[in-house]
Amino acid sequence: MRPVIFKRTRLIVVLAVLFFLYIIFYKWHTSVNLRGISDRDGNESLSQREKTEIMDSEDKLTENEGIKNRYEKLVNSFDTENDIKENDSESKESEQETNKDQDENEQEDENEAYSKESEEPKELTPSKNTPETEQENQVNIEKEQVIVVLVIACNRPEYVKKCIDTLLEKRPADLKAQFPIVVSQDCGHEETEKVIASYGNKLKLIKQPDLSAIHGVAAHMVGYYKLSRHYKWALGQIFDVMGFDAAVIVEDDLEIAPDFYDYFAATRPLLDQDPTIWCVSAWNDNGKEECVKDNGLLFRSDFFPGLGWMLKRSLWNELRPKWPNAFWDDWMRNPEQRQDRCCIRPEICRTKTFGENGVSQGQFYLQHLQYIKLNDKFFHFRNKDLSYLLKDSYDSDFHNHAYMIPSASFSEIKSGKVSTTVVRVQYEDNSSFESLAKQFGIMSDLKSGVPRMAYRGIVVFIYKGIRVFLAPPDQWTGYE
C-alpha cells in the first residue's frame, strides 16, 4: 500500500513541478514577446523619424540648390558696361555664327519681295489713299525704318567678295530686315558679276546700263567721271525706283566694324530730328590708332567724310538735279551743297579701306589710310542717348569746353610739360593750321577751306595720350 501511495505522491509532485515550470516558461515567453513587440515598435518609430529627418534634410538641400541656381542666374543676368565692352565682340561673333545656321527661307522671301519692288517701280503709298491705307503705310514705314546698304562695285572681284563677306558676317540677326544689301555694278566686268551673283538671294544685284565711253577728258580722269555717273544712277535706283527712304553707301574696298549696323541704326533718327545734320559717316580721317581713344565717342563735323555714309531720300532729291559729272565727294564739300550742315562721325572708324588699287590710284593709302584703326570692340549705340549731338545742345557745350580747357603749345606737349589730359592748341589761320597738323601727324589739307574732321574750326584728336583741341581763336567767325 505504501509503495503505491509513494508512487502517486511522486507523480503529483512531478506534475506540480512541471506545471510550475510551465507557468514560469509561459510568463517568460510572454514577457519576451511583449518586449520584442515594444522594441520592434520603437525601432519602427525611430526609423520613421529618421526618414522624416532625411526628407526634411533633402527638402532643405533642394531648396538651397534652387536658391543657388536662382542666384547664379541672377548674377549671370547682370553685365556691367565694362563687361559688355570687353566681351561683346566675342558674343557678337557667337551670334553671327548662329546667324549663319538660321533658316534662309525668310531671307529669300524678304529679298524676293524687295527684288520685285525694284524691278517693278511703284510708290510707297497707293495713288489713292484712304485714311486706313495711310495709317497702315505709316505704321509699316515707322516699324521697318529700312536702311539699304548700297555697295558700289566695278571690276575688282576679290575686293567685292571681301566687302560682301564682311557685310553679311557682321549683320546682326535683329537688324537683318532693316539693312538689306544692294550691290550696284558698273564696268560690265564678267568675273566681278559672277562673284556678286554667287550670293544669290542674300543680296540684290543691279547693273549700271550706261557703259559708254567718256570723251573730252584726260585719260587719268576718266575713272572719276564714270564713278560719279555710277553714283547718280545707283542712288536713283535706290531712292527713285525702289522707293527706299535711307541708304548707307559703301564702296567695294571697305571692310566694316562689328558695330557698323548698330551705329547706323542708332544714328538714323538724328537725320529726322535735326535738319542741320545732313549725313552720318563711319569714317574719321584722323583715325590712326595713336590719334584715337574712345570707341563710343561721336562728333559733329563740318567736313564731309564719306567712306561709308548714310543719307536720306530728301537729301537725294535736293542733290539729284545738280549732281556733278566728276569728283562728287569734293563737290559735296562745297559750301553750296553743305549749306552749314554737318555730318556725324565717330572717333574710331567703323569702316576701313583696303583699296590700294582704284580710281584714285591709292592716293594717301600708303602714307595714311593703311594706318587707320578699325573699331574692334562692339559698342551698343542703340542703348545710348545720342541727343547730345543735336545742334541746340552740342554747339554751346562743345565751344565752351574747347575754350575753357588749358592751352598749350605743340612743343610743351611733345616735351611732356603738360600735366592735364585735355588741352587746347591754337592756330591763327589756314597756314598755321597746316603747319601744326603736320607736326601732330594728322591730315593737314583743307577742302573748301574746311580742315578734315573740323567742327566750327576745331579738330579733336589724341596726341601722346592727351586729347588735343586744335582750335582757331575764340572770335572765329567762319571758314576762309
Side-chain angles (χ1 to χ4, degrees):
M1 188 70 180
R2 290 179 61 184
V4 173
I5 294 173
F6 178 78
K7 289 181 180 179
R8 288 180 179 176
T9 301
R10 187 171 58 182
L11 178 61
I12 291 170
V13 171
V14 170
L15 291 173
V17 171
L18 290 174
F19 178 78
F20 180 77
L21 292 174
Y22 171 77
I23 294 299
I24 294 174
F25 175 79
Y26 176 78
K27 289 183 178 182
W28 174 81
H29 181 70
T30 302
S31 175
V32 170
N33 285 342
L34 289 173
R35 205 163 46 241
I37 292 171
S38 178
D39 290 342
R40 188 166 59 250
D41 290 342
N43 289 336
E44 288 180 357
S45 177
L46 180 61
S47 176
Q48 185 64 33
R49 286 196 302 271
E50 289 175 346
K51 289 180 181 178
T52 302
E53 290 177 359
I54 291 172
M55 291 176 65
D56 290 343
S57 177
E58 288 176 350
D59 290 341
K60 290 180 180 178
L61 287 173
T62 302
E63 181 179 358
N64 290 337
E65 187 66 24
I67 294 172
K68 179 183 178 183
N69 290 338
R70 290 195 298 272
Y71 174 76
E72 288 178 349
K73 288 181 180 178
L74 183 64
V75 171
N76 291 336
S77 68
F78 285 96
D79 283 323
T80 64
E81 183 172 337
N82 288 334
D83 291 335
I84 291 174
K85 288 183 178 180
E86 292 297 325
N87 299 326
D88 196 70
S89 179
E90 295 179 3
S91 66
K92 282 294 173 182
E93 291 176 1
S94 176
E95 179 181 343
Q96 289 155 5
E97 290 298 323
T98 302
N99 293 344
K100 292 181 181 179
D101 297 330
Q102 290 181 340
D103 185 9
E104 294 186 355
N105 289 335
E106 181 180 349
Q107 176 68 13
E108 292 176 2
D109 293 341
E110 172 195 325
N111 281 280
E112 181 180 357
Y114 80 79
S115 175
K116 289 181 179 179
E117 181 177 336
S118 66
E119 293 171 358
E120 301 175 5
K122 59 181 181 180
E123 297 292 334
L124 288 179
T125 56
S127 56
K128 294 182 179 180
N129 282 327
T130 64
E132 291 76 15
T133 57
E134 287 181 355
Q135 182 179 4
E136 180 180 357
N137 282 305
Q138 184 65 26
V139 168
N140 289 337
I141 292 172
E142 290 178 353
K143 181 179 179 180
E144 296 297 333
Q145 283 292 299
V146 175
I147 306 171
V148 178
V149 178
L150 173 61
V151 180
I152 302 294
C154 181
N155 58 358
R156 301 182 290 187
E158 69 283 359
Y159 279 23
V160 76
K161 184 180 188 306
K162 183 175 181 179
C163 177
I164 294 173
D165 283 346
T166 188
L167 285 171
L168 292 172
E169 175 190 349
K170 295 179 180 178
R171 183 174 58 179
D174 65 324
L175 294 178
K176 194 173 184 180
Q178 188 178 0
F179 287 90
I181 299 172
V182 176
V183 182
S184 180
Q185 188 199 358
D186 197 2
C187 308
H189 191 256
E190 185 176 351
E191 185 179 353
T192 301
E193 180 181 347
K194 286 181 180 179
V195 169
I196 301 169
S198 69
Y199 290 91
N201 288 326
K202 294 179 181 178
L203 52 79
K204 177 172 177 58
L205 169 62
I206 57 176
K207 293 184 287 185
Q208 152 75 309
D210 186 0
L211 304 180
S212 61
I214 302 293
H215 300 288
V217 299
H220 68 281
M221 293 292 182
V222 169
Y224 293 103
Y225 282 80
K226 288 186 175 181
L227 184 60
S228 188
R229 180 175 68 182
H230 185 193
Y231 261 84
K232 183 176 183 179
W233 179 83
L235 288 170
Q237 292 296 303
I238 294 299
F239 293 121
D240 303 331
V241 177
M242 300 181 195
F244 289 109
D245 190 58
V248 175
I249 303 173
V250 176
E251 294 193 12
D252 63 358
D253 59 357
L254 292 181
E255 58 180 313
I256 65 171
D259 53 3
F260 172 89
Y261 290 100
D262 194 271
Y263 170 68
F264 281 110
T267 54
R268 167 65 181 85
L270 297 175
L271 295 176
D272 295 328
Q273 297 167 6
D274 189 343
T276 68
I277 300 175
W278 72 327
C279 82
V280 178
S281 173
W283 184 257
N284 173 11
D285 273 312
N286 296 318
K288 291 188 290 188
E289 186 157 10
E290 63 271 21
C291 296
V292 296
K293 179 185 293 184
D294 190 341
N295 79 330
L297 189 57
L298 306 181
F299 293 89
R300 291 171 69 101
S301 172
D302 294 325
F303 189 88
F304 173 73
L307 292 175
W309 59 286
M310 177 170 60
L311 76 161
K312 288 178 58 181
R313 181 170 53 173
S314 57
L315 179 59
W316 170 244
N317 291 337
E318 172 191 327
L319 299 177
R320 180 183 56 242
K322 52 182 180 177
W323 191 260
N325 293 327
F327 306 106
W328 69 269
D329 50 350
D330 283 342
W331 175 82
M332 290 277 290
R333 293 164 184 143
N334 290 339
E336 294 78 13
Q337 277 63 252
R338 189 170 65 82
Q339 298 179 14
D340 292 325
R341 294 173 291 189
C342 76
C343 292
I344 301 301
R345 60 93 173 173
E347 172 150 300
I348 301 181
C349 291
R350 265 56 190 189
T351 56
K352 182 176 182 178
T353 179
F354 50 85
E356 184 176 356
N357 301 315
V359 171
S360 63
Q361 302 299 317
Q363 183 183 19
F364 295 129
Y365 183 81
L366 294 177
Q367 299 89 348
H368 183 78
L369 297 180
Q370 65 174 329
Y371 302 110
I372 294 292
K373 175 179 173 58
L374 179 66
N375 182 58
D376 56 2
K377 292 183 179 179
F378 197 101
F379 188 89
H380 291 270
F381 286 106
R382 284 184 289 168
N383 294 343
K384 300 301 176 184
D385 180 5
L386 301 181
S387 61
Y388 73 91
L389 293 165
L390 300 176
K391 183 178 179 65
D392 289 343
S393 57
Y394 188 92
D395 280 12
S396 59
D397 292 344
F398 183 73
H399 180 272
N400 292 339
H401 180 72
Y403 290 97
M404 289 177 63
I405 58 178
S407 62
S409 66
F410 170 76
S411 60
E412 288 173 329
I413 300 173
K414 184 178 180 180
S415 61
K417 295 180 180 179
V418 175
S419 58
T420 61
T421 58
V422 182
V423 298
R424 181 182 73 259
V425 176
Q426 185 166 306
Y427 68 89
E428 301 300 326
D429 52 26
N430 286 351
S431 177
S432 64
F433 169 83
E434 292 174 2
S435 175
L436 283 167
K438 290 176 181 177
Q439 293 179 70
F440 280 116
I442 63 172
M443 297 288 278
S444 60
D445 61 327
L446 298 86
K447 300 284 187 178
S448 297
V450 181
R452 291 180 184 265
M453 303 298 102
Y455 186 67
R456 297 177 62 87
I458 303 170
V459 180
V460 185
F461 56 92
I462 302 295
Y463 180 77
K464 293 186 177 297
I466 297 174
R467 186 170 296 280
V468 177
F469 285 66
L470 186 54
D474 192 10
Q475 298 76 25
W476 181 83
T477 57
Y479 297 105
E480 297 178 11

